[in-house]
Amino acid sequence: MAHLQPRSLIGKLSIFLLLCIAQTSFSFPHQPLSSRRLLTTTPRNIVKQYLNPHNKSRAKLGLPPLKWSNKLANYASWWGHQRQVSCELVHSRGDYGENLFWGSGKDWKPRDAVKAWAKEGPYYDYKSNSCKKNEQCLHYTQIIWKQSTRVGCAKVVCKTGDTLISCNYDPHGNVVGEKPF
């Protein structure tokens, strides 16, 4: 989505309202203009800490590996910074798939989050395409969603001193009525 540069306050409010309506009515993902300062490139060694456990889970099923997306990493960083004060696990409601992780303290590594999500694998029943009773498996199914080809993640240490890790996937998975592969 192109960002317009309105010259007047009325123009700025019009663009803001248009973006809010677009997101709530159609769920188009976007980064607000204020998030531009968060644009960064994730160091290669950190990217590997996210990608390797993702792709290990996918390889077990013969699925193609995910590729890193700086765009998705910046979206994850933007959303993580929105949650930085409270560190609450609240989804962004964008059009990306999203896995969130919370950990007490600041020493959590990217691979810790991905491994926690992947541990849900035994709770997914392919035949019924559902999670086993009283168990969670949707983080895992997002990791192994065949149509998802790109991932981007970010870690934020919250004001509480705890860790929030977010990964976003494109195209999103967990489509109702569809199997992950």
Side-chain angles (χ1 to χ4, degrees), residues 73-161:
N74 282 307
Y75 183 85
S77 178
W78 167 77
W79 183 246
H81 283 87
Q82 303 305 305
R83 311 303 322 149
Q84 194 171 20
V85 172
S86 65
C87 218
E88 289 179 299
L89 294 177
V90 177
H91 285 283
S92 66
R93 296 186 184 188
D95 195 34
Y96 300 128
E98 185 169 73
N99 282 344
L100 299 174
F101 171 89
W102 175 89
S104 177
K106 62 181 179 179
D107 294 329
W108 295 94
K109 304 287 185 241
R111 65 180 161 261
D112 297 327
V114 183
K115 286 180 179 181
W117 300 325
K119 281 185 182 179
E120 296 175 0
Y123 304 126
Y124 175 66
D125 179 53
Y126 187 81
K127 186 175 180 181
S128 68
N129 192 33
S130 62
C131 302
K132 292 183 179 175
K133 188 175 180 176
N134 299 320
E135 299 293 349
Q136 201 174 115
C137 68
L138 297 178
H139 299 102
Y140 170 73
T141 54
Q142 175 56 79
I143 289 173
I144 61 161
W145 199 265
K146 184 177 183 176
Q147 286 76 25
S148 293
T149 58
R150 293 172 301 282
V151 65
C153 308
K155 172 184 169 180
V156 173
V157 176
C158 301
K159 302 281 185 202
T160 61

Side-chain angles (χ1 to χ4, degrees), residues 40-50 68 70:
T40 60
T41 301
T42 308
R44 191 173 194 79
N45 65 321
I46 301 298
V47 169
K48 286 181 180 182
Q49 286 188 43
Y50 287 115
W68 186 258
N70 285 324

